[in-house]
Amino acid sequence: MKNKKIFLALGTAVLLLACLPMYELFFKDKMDSVEVLVVNAEEGIKAKEQLTEDNVIVERRRKQDLVAGTALATDFKEVIGKEAGKNLVNNSIVSKEDVDFEDLVPDRSKGEAIRPIVNDMIFAQPGSLRRKDSIDIYAISDTDIETNTENETQNSNNDSDDAEEETIVSSTNPEQEVAATKLKAPILQDVKVVYVKDSSNQEVTNEIEEKGTEERLNATGNISDLEVILDEADFDLLMNTVLSGKKLYITYN
């Protein structure tokens, strides 16, 4: 009976020793790691470049190597098709914090498309306007537009104690301005801007790409044209407004 127990103990020990490599090879690796999304591009993925099935793959990485916001294998469909929010190095783990999830793709089922707003249509717009901003569009009639010289003459005839009326100066023609009180409700609201371009058709971006409000202070160029997402009805409204002789005053949220 005693010998039987000894053989049983030896057999158990041998079995455990035999199973140890199996545990190290298969089970331990899976327990201490997780499947994540990894950059698979020799030159990396540049900011604003699309994440695709060719430059992003699924790999198993150790849990201790994971980064904040790690994109898991289950996030593959959610991430593919989006743009990189910053430069991503090859073989690095993809973080959701580095992926731009803002949807700048028109929904064709809703009749949406990327529509132009050219410089000639615009009365004024903020110089700090950038791609991905949401804008409100107001209509300004020719009768509301005055020249600075006319306003100066009118102001000189007013009493000195009268409050000065707030005006909006044209960004396309600084000699023109409109009294803020002339503005009515916007004709379009929360319009998504896809591109902000200068007169040479180059995108206007922040001179130094850093997080924070200061990044809007310096631009790579002067804004000329916009490209926005509009459906047929909103685009018709916009064009009918412009064709009626009105100009567009643009603000962003």
Side-chain angles (χ1 to χ4, degrees):
M1 187 70 178
K2 188 176 179 180
N3 289 337
K4 206 175 214 183
K5 288 183 178 180
I6 293 174
F7 281 120
L8 183 60
L10 288 173
T12 302
V14 171
L15 183 61
L16 288 173
L17 289 173
C19 290
L20 187 60
M22 295 285 290
Y23 168 77
E24 291 287 341
L25 286 173
F26 300 103
F27 298 104
K28 184 180 179 181
D29 182 56
K30 287 189 176 182
M31 290 175 63
D32 294 341
S33 63
V34 63
E35 288 188 329
V36 300
L37 303 186
V38 176
V39 177
N40 183 39
E42 287 187 9
E43 298 181 357
I45 300 175
K46 295 181 180 180
K48 299 181 183 178
E49 185 178 345
Q50 193 175 53
L51 304 180
T52 69
E53 295 182 2
D54 294 325
N55 58 24
V56 174
I57 59 174
V58 175
E59 281 189 358
R60 188 169 286 278
R61 294 292 177 91
R62 295 184 303 173
K63 291 180 180 179
Q64 65 188 58
D65 295 332
L66 301 186
V67 298
T70 293
L72 303 176
T74 53
D75 300 318
F76 190 80
K77 290 183 179 180
E78 182 184 0
V79 168
I80 295 303
K82 304 299 181 184
E83 293 182 354
K86 57 180 281 188
N87 293 337
L88 304 180
V89 180
N90 184 40
N91 203 41
S92 63
I93 296 173
V94 177
S95 169
K96 284 188 173 184
E97 295 178 1
D98 299 332
V99 179
D100 184 1
F101 286 99
E102 292 195 50
D103 195 0
L104 294 181
V105 180
D107 188 343
R108 293 184 179 180
S109 67
K110 297 179 181 178
E112 292 180 346
I114 297 176
R115 320 277 186 174
I117 299 180
V118 298
N119 191 56
D120 290 340
M121 300 162 63
I122 300 170
F123 177 78
Q125 62 190 348
S128 57
L129 183 64
R130 297 289 183 269
R131 182 174 185 255
K132 299 176 187 174
D133 284 337
S134 294
I135 60 174
D136 293 342
I137 303 175
Y138 299 80
I140 295 178
S141 65
D142 285 339
T143 56
D144 293 333
I145 299 175
E146 300 174 343
T147 63
N148 291 339
T149 54
E150 289 175 352
N151 285 332
E152 287 171 3
T153 303
Q154 185 178 357
N155 290 335
S156 64
N157 295 328
N158 292 335
D159 295 333
S160 59
D161 59 348
D162 286 346
E164 186 176 348
E165 188 175 35
E166 183 182 355
T167 58
I168 300 165
V169 179
S170 172
S171 57
T172 56
N173 184 357
E175 293 184 357
Q176 294 180 330
E177 59 185 35
V178 168
T181 54
K182 298 286 187 181
L183 287 183
K184 298 179 181 178
I187 60 171
L188 293 172
Q189 291 180 286
D190 296 325
V191 176
K192 204 70 177 177
V193 178
V194 180
Y195 286 109
V196 177
K197 296 188 175 182
D198 61 20
S199 57
S200 61
N201 203 37
Q202 298 298 309
E203 183 182 0
V204 177
T205 60
N206 302 314
E207 208 166 64
I208 301 175
E209 294 288 348
E210 294 179 352
K211 292 184 177 180
T213 55
E214 292 79 12
E215 65 180 6
R216 288 182 183 263
L217 295 179
N218 299 312
T220 56
N222 294 320
I223 299 173
S224 176
D225 306 333
L226 306 179
E227 294 182 9
V228 301
I229 295 178
L230 291 174
D231 60 23
E232 287 286 351
D234 287 343
F235 184 60
D236 287 344
L237 173 61
L238 183 75
M239 293 309 299
N240 288 334
T241 300
V242 173
L243 293 174
S244 69
K246 295 180 180 179
K247 290 275 191 176
L248 307 178
Y249 172 54
I250 297 170
T251 64
Y252 72 85
N253 304 319

PDB file of all heavy atoms in Angstrom, residues 34 40 42 45 52 58 69 90 114 132 138 158 161-162 166 175 177 181 197 223 239 250:
ATOM      1  N   VAL A  34      -3.123  39.655 -24.510  1.00  0.00           N
ATOM      2  CA  VAL A  34      -4.430  39.928 -25.105  1.00  0.00           C
ATOM      3  C   VAL A  34      -4.232  40.319 -26.565  1.00  0.00           C
ATOM      4  O   VAL A  34      -3.185  40.862 -26.944  1.00  0.00           O
ATOM      5  CB  VAL A  34      -5.144  41.061 -24.323  1.00  0.00           C
ATOM      6  CG1 VAL A  34      -4.362  42.362 -24.416  1.00  0.00           C
ATOM      7  CG2 VAL A  34      -6.552  41.256 -24.816  1.00  0.00           C
ATOM      8  N   ASN A  40       0.970  48.029 -38.883  1.00  0.00           N
ATOM      9  CA  ASN A  40       1.712  47.129 -39.771  1.00  0.00           C
ATOM     10  C   ASN A  40       2.079  47.872 -41.057  1.00  0.00           C
ATOM     11  O   ASN A  40       1.595  47.585 -42.136  1.00  0.00           O
ATOM     12  CB  ASN A  40       0.859  45.893 -40.093  1.00  0.00           C
ATOM     13  CG  ASN A  40       1.599  44.885 -40.952  1.00  0.00           C
ATOM     14  OD1 ASN A  40       2.788  44.658 -40.758  1.00  0.00           O
ATOM     15  ND2 ASN A  40       0.898  44.292 -41.914  1.00  0.00           N
ATOM     16  N   GLU A  42       5.727  49.771 -42.692  1.00  0.00           N
ATOM     17  CA  GLU A  42       7.157  50.032 -42.488  1.00  0.00           C
ATOM     18  C   GLU A  42       7.430  51.501 -42.178  1.00  0.00           C
ATOM     19  O   GLU A  42       8.267  51.822 -41.349  1.00  0.00           O
ATOM     20  CB  GLU A  42       7.955  49.600 -43.723  1.00  0.00           C
ATOM     21  CG  GLU A  42       8.068  48.094 -43.871  1.00  0.00           C
ATOM     22  CD  GLU A  42       9.011  47.702 -44.997  1.00  0.00           C
ATOM     23  OE1 GLU A  42       9.685  48.609 -45.529  1.00  0.00           O
ATOM     24  OE2 GLU A  42       9.072  46.514 -45.328  1.00  0.00           O
ATOM     25  N   ILE A  45       2.124  55.088 -39.906  1.00  0.00           N
ATOM     26  CA  ILE A  45       0.892  55.699 -40.425  1.00  0.00           C
ATOM     27  C   ILE A  45       0.925  57.181 -40.043  1.00  0.00           C
ATOM     28  O   ILE A  45       1.043  57.525 -38.870  1.00  0.00           O
ATOM     29  CB  ILE A  45      -0.360  55.033 -39.822  1.00  0.00           C
ATOM     30  CG1 ILE A  45      -0.378  53.537 -40.167  1.00  0.00           C
ATOM     31  CG2 ILE A  45      -1.625  55.704 -40.339  1.00  0.00           C
ATOM     32  CD1 ILE A  45      -1.520  52.776 -39.514  1.00  0.00           C
ATOM     33  N   THR A  52      -6.390  51.033 -42.423  1.00  0.00           N
ATOM     34  CA  THR A  52      -6.960  50.021 -43.316  1.00  0.00           C
ATOM     35  C   THR A  52      -6.578  48.620 -42.862  1.00  0.00           C
ATOM     36  O   THR A  52      -5.764  48.449 -41.947  1.00  0.00           O
ATOM     37  CB  THR A  52      -6.467  50.231 -44.762  1.00  0.00           C
ATOM     38  OG1 THR A  52      -5.056  49.918 -44.820  1.00  0.00           O
ATOM     39  CG2 THR A  52      -6.684  51.672 -45.216  1.00  0.00           C
ATOM     40  N   VAL A  58      -3.947  42.307 -36.270  1.00  0.00           N
ATOM     41  CA  VAL A  58      -4.226  41.836 -34.909  1.00  0.00           C
ATOM     42  C   VAL A  58      -3.053  40.986 -34.434  1.00  0.00           C
ATOM     43  O   VAL A  58      -2.631  40.059 -35.123  1.00  0.00           O
ATOM     44  CB  VAL A  58      -5.527  41.001 -34.861  1.00  0.00           C
ATOM     45  CG1 VAL A  58      -5.734  40.425 -33.457  1.00  0.00           C
ATOM     46  CG2 VAL A  58      -6.717  41.863 -35.271  1.00  0.00           C
ATOM     47  N   GLY A  69      -5.980  53.302 -23.525  1.00  0.00           N
ATOM     48  CA  GLY A  69      -6.935  53.290 -24.621  1.00  0.00           C
ATOM     49  C   GLY A  69      -6.642  52.257 -25.688  1.00  0.00           C
ATOM     50  O   GLY A  69      -7.082  52.403 -26.837  1.00  0.00           O
ATOM     51  N   ASN A  90       5.480  52.176 -36.757  1.00  0.00           N
ATOM     52  CA  ASN A  90       5.311  50.766 -37.126  1.00  0.00           C
ATOM     53  C   ASN A  90       5.524  49.846 -35.927  1.00  0.00           C
ATOM     54  O   ASN A  90       6.384  50.079 -35.081  1.00  0.00           O
ATOM     55  CB  ASN A  90       6.309  50.407 -38.235  1.00  0.00           C
ATOM     56  CG  ASN A  90       6.120  48.983 -38.725  1.00  0.00           C
ATOM     57  OD1 ASN A  90       4.992  48.521 -38.876  1.00  0.00           O
ATOM     58  ND2 ASN A  90       7.217  48.286 -38.971  1.00  0.00           N
ATOM     59  N   ILE A 114     -20.074  66.130 -50.333  1.00  0.00           N
ATOM     60  CA  ILE A 114     -19.157  67.220 -49.993  1.00  0.00           C
ATOM     61  C   ILE A 114     -19.408  68.360 -50.972  1.00  0.00           C
ATOM     62  O   ILE A 114     -19.255  68.197 -52.184  1.00  0.00           O
ATOM     63  CB  ILE A 114     -17.697  66.746 -50.056  1.00  0.00           C
ATOM     64  CG1 ILE A 114     -17.461  65.641 -49.017  1.00  0.00           C
ATOM     65  CG2 ILE A 114     -16.748  67.914 -49.816  1.00  0.00           C
ATOM     66  CD1 ILE A 114     -16.078  65.040 -49.050  1.00  0.00           C
ATOM     67  N   LYS A 132     -13.064  69.912 -39.603  1.00  0.00           N
ATOM     68  CA  LYS A 132     -13.802  69.198 -38.560  1.00  0.00           C
ATOM     69  C   LYS A 132     -14.623  70.111 -37.666  1.00  0.00           C
ATOM     70  O   LYS A 132     -15.353  69.631 -36.801  1.00  0.00           O
ATOM     71  CB  LYS A 132     -12.878  68.334 -37.695  1.00  0.00           C
ATOM     72  CG  LYS A 132     -12.140  67.265 -38.466  1.00  0.00           C
ATOM     73  CD  LYS A 132     -11.193  66.518 -37.572  1.00  0.00           C
ATOM     74  CE  LYS A 132     -10.334  65.563 -38.379  1.00  0.00           C
ATOM     75  NZ  LYS A 132      -9.301  64.934 -37.561  1.00  0.00           N
ATOM     76  N   TYR A 138     -25.043  82.285 -41.831  1.00  0.00           N
ATOM     77  CA  TYR A 138     -26.034  83.357 -41.878  1.00  0.00           C
ATOM     78  C   TYR A 138     -26.039  83.978 -43.276  1.00  0.00           C
ATOM     79  O   TYR A 138     -25.027  83.941 -43.987  1.00  0.00           O
ATOM     80  CB  TYR A 138     -25.704  84.454 -40.862  1.00  0.00           C
ATOM     81  CG  TYR A 138     -25.693  83.995 -39.417  1.00  0.00           C
ATOM     82  CD1 TYR A 138     -24.588  83.327 -38.883  1.00  0.00           C
ATOM     83  CD2 TYR A 138     -26.775  84.254 -38.586  1.00  0.00           C
ATOM     84  CE1 TYR A 138     -24.578  82.918 -37.561  1.00  0.00           C
ATOM     85  CE2 TYR A 138     -26.764  83.846 -37.251  1.00  0.00           C
ATOM     86  CZ  TYR A 138     -25.660  83.180 -36.750  1.00  0.00           C
ATOM     87  OH  TYR A 138     -25.651  82.774 -35.435  1.00  0.00           O
ATOM     88  N   ASN A 158     -23.549 111.314 -35.137  1.00  0.00           N
ATOM     89  CA  ASN A 158     -24.233 110.846 -33.930  1.00  0.00           C
ATOM     90  C   ASN A 158     -23.713 111.557 -32.691  1.00  0.00           C
ATOM     91  O   ASN A 158     -22.574 112.059 -32.675  1.00  0.00           O
ATOM     92  CB  ASN A 158     -24.039 109.336 -33.755  1.00  0.00           C
ATOM     93  CG  ASN A 158     -24.759 108.550 -34.843  1.00  0.00           C
ATOM     94  OD1 ASN A 158     -25.734 109.042 -35.429  1.00  0.00           O
ATOM     95  ND2 ASN A 158     -24.279 107.340 -35.114  1.00  0.00           N
ATOM     96  N   ASP A 161     -22.236 110.535 -26.899  1.00  0.00           N
ATOM     97  CA  ASP A 161     -22.577 109.624 -25.808  1.00  0.00           C
ATOM     98  C   ASP A 161     -23.387 108.434 -26.270  1.00  0.00           C
ATOM     99  O   ASP A 161     -23.761 107.583 -25.472  1.00  0.00           O
ATOM    100  CB  ASP A 161     -23.337 110.372 -24.710  1.00  0.00           C
ATOM    101  CG  ASP A 161     -24.632 111.003 -25.239  1.00  0.00           C
ATOM    102  OD1 ASP A 161     -24.802 111.055 -26.468  1.00  0.00           O
ATOM    103  OD2 ASP A 161     -25.447 111.438 -24.387  1.00  0.00           O
ATOM    104  N   ASP A 162     -23.670 108.323 -27.589  1.00  0.00           N
ATOM    105  CA  ASP A 162     -24.383 107.160 -28.110  1.00  0.00           C
ATOM    106  C   ASP A 162     -23.471 105.940 -28.078  1.00  0.00           C
ATOM    107  O   ASP A 162     -22.273 106.038 -28.389  1.00  0.00           O
ATOM    108  CB  ASP A 162     -24.843 107.403 -29.552  1.00  0.00           C
ATOM    109  CG  ASP A 162     -26.027 108.353 -29.608  1.00  0.00           C
ATOM    110  OD1 ASP A 162     -26.625 108.581 -28.536  1.00  0.00           O
ATOM    111  OD2 ASP A 162     -26.317 108.880 -30.705  1.00  0.00           O
ATOM    112  N   GLU A 166     -22.168  97.476 -32.698  1.00  0.00           N
ATOM    113  CA  GLU A 166     -21.243  96.407 -33.045  1.00  0.00           C
ATOM    114  C   GLU A 166     -21.371  96.067 -34.525  1.00  0.00           C
ATOM    115  O   GLU A 166     -22.477  95.968 -35.061  1.00  0.00           O
ATOM    116  CB  GLU A 166     -21.537  95.162 -32.212  1.00  0.00           C
ATOM    117  CG  GLU A 166     -20.555  94.024 -32.468  1.00  0.00           C
ATOM    118  CD  GLU A 166     -20.888  92.784 -31.664  1.00  0.00           C
ATOM    119  OE1 GLU A 166     -21.814  92.842 -30.838  1.00  0.00           O
ATOM    120  OE2 GLU A 166     -20.225  91.763 -31.886  1.00  0.00           O
ATOM    121  N   GLU A 175     -13.089  96.690 -46.362  1.00  0.00           N
ATOM    122  CA  GLU A 175     -13.756  97.990 -46.435  1.00  0.00           C
ATOM    123  C   GLU A 175     -15.272  97.864 -46.223  1.00  0.00           C
ATOM    124  O   GLU A 175     -15.979  98.863 -46.134  1.00  0.00           O
ATOM    125  CB  GLU A 175     -13.478  98.662 -47.779  1.00  0.00           C
ATOM    126  CG  GLU A 175     -12.014  99.066 -47.963  1.00  0.00           C
ATOM    127  CD  GLU A 175     -11.795  99.809 -49.265  1.00  0.00           C
ATOM    128  OE1 GLU A 175     -12.771  99.961 -50.034  1.00  0.00           O
ATOM    129  OE2 GLU A 175     -10.655 100.233 -49.509  1.00  0.00           O
ATOM    130  N   GLU A 177     -18.638  96.287 -44.079  1.00  0.00           N
ATOM    131  CA  GLU A 177     -19.048  95.795 -42.767  1.00  0.00           C
ATOM    132  C   GLU A 177     -20.565  95.793 -42.677  1.00  0.00           C
ATOM    133  O   GLU A 177     -21.269  96.422 -43.479  1.00  0.00           O
ATOM    134  CB  GLU A 177     -18.443  96.638 -41.655  1.00  0.00           C
ATOM    135  CG  GLU A 177     -18.813  98.095 -41.711  1.00  0.00           C
ATOM    136  CD  GLU A 177     -18.094  98.916 -40.650  1.00  0.00           C
ATOM    137  OE1 GLU A 177     -16.922  98.617 -40.338  1.00  0.00           O
ATOM    138  OE2 GLU A 177     -18.719  99.858 -40.145  1.00  0.00           O
ATOM    139  N   THR A 181     -26.685  93.822 -35.596  1.00  0.00           N
ATOM    140  CA  THR A 181     -28.139  93.758 -35.373  1.00  0.00           C
ATOM    141  C   THR A 181     -28.900  93.334 -36.627  1.00  0.00           C
ATOM    142  O   THR A 181     -30.072  92.974 -36.556  1.00  0.00           O
ATOM    143  CB  THR A 181     -28.660  95.130 -34.905  1.00  0.00           C
ATOM    144  OG1 THR A 181     -28.248  96.142 -35.842  1.00  0.00           O
ATOM    145  CG2 THR A 181     -28.127  95.470 -33.531  1.00  0.00           C
ATOM    146  N   LYS A 197      -9.488  75.526 -47.198  1.00  0.00           N
ATOM    147  CA  LYS A 197      -8.406  75.656 -48.175  1.00  0.00           C
ATOM    148  C   LYS A 197      -8.060  77.111 -48.460  1.00  0.00           C
ATOM    149  O   LYS A 197      -8.901  78.008 -48.325  1.00  0.00           O
ATOM    150  CB  LYS A 197      -8.792  74.947 -49.474  1.00  0.00           C
ATOM    151  CG  LYS A 197      -8.961  73.437 -49.306  1.00  0.00           C
ATOM    152  CD  LYS A 197      -9.147  72.738 -50.626  1.00  0.00           C
ATOM    153  CE  LYS A 197      -9.192  71.222 -50.442  1.00  0.00           C
ATOM    154  NZ  LYS A 197      -9.329  70.511 -51.736  1.00  0.00           N
ATOM    155  N   ILE A 223      -7.551  81.659 -45.325  1.00  0.00           N
ATOM    156  CA  ILE A 223      -8.692  80.861 -45.763  1.00  0.00           C
ATOM    157  C   ILE A 223      -9.356  81.489 -46.982  1.00  0.00           C
ATOM    158  O   ILE A 223      -9.610  82.697 -47.007  1.00  0.00           O
ATOM    159  CB  ILE A 223      -9.719  80.701 -44.631  1.00  0.00           C
ATOM    160  CG1 ILE A 223      -9.076  79.982 -43.448  1.00  0.00           C
ATOM    161  CG2 ILE A 223     -10.943  79.931 -45.118  1.00  0.00           C
ATOM    162  CD1 ILE A 223      -9.961  79.933 -42.214  1.00  0.00           C
ATOM    163  N   MET A 239     -27.464  77.595 -52.184  1.00  0.00           N
ATOM    164  CA  MET A 239     -27.251  78.158 -53.520  1.00  0.00           C
ATOM    165  C   MET A 239     -28.329  79.189 -53.865  1.00  0.00           C
ATOM    166  O   MET A 239     -28.032  80.226 -54.476  1.00  0.00           O
ATOM    167  CB  MET A 239     -27.222  77.038 -54.555  1.00  0.00           C
ATOM    168  CG  MET A 239     -26.023  76.113 -54.432  1.00  0.00           C
ATOM    169  SD  MET A 239     -24.434  76.990 -54.359  1.00  0.00           S
ATOM    170  CE  MET A 239     -24.446  77.832 -55.954  1.00  0.00           C
ATOM    171  N   ILE A 250     -20.129  83.307 -41.700  1.00  0.00           N
ATOM    172  CA  ILE A 250     -19.884  81.985 -41.131  1.00  0.00           C
ATOM    173  C   ILE A 250     -19.264  82.089 -39.743  1.00  0.00           C
ATOM    174  O   ILE A 250     -18.292  82.831 -39.539  1.00  0.00           O
ATOM    175  CB  ILE A 250     -18.984  81.163 -42.065  1.00  0.00           C
ATOM    176  CG1 ILE A 250     -19.691  80.923 -43.401  1.00  0.00           C
ATOM    177  CG2 ILE A 250     -18.572  79.840 -41.418  1.00  0.00           C
ATOM    178  CD1 ILE A 250     -18.814  80.332 -44.472  1.00  0.00           C
TER     179      ILE A 250
END
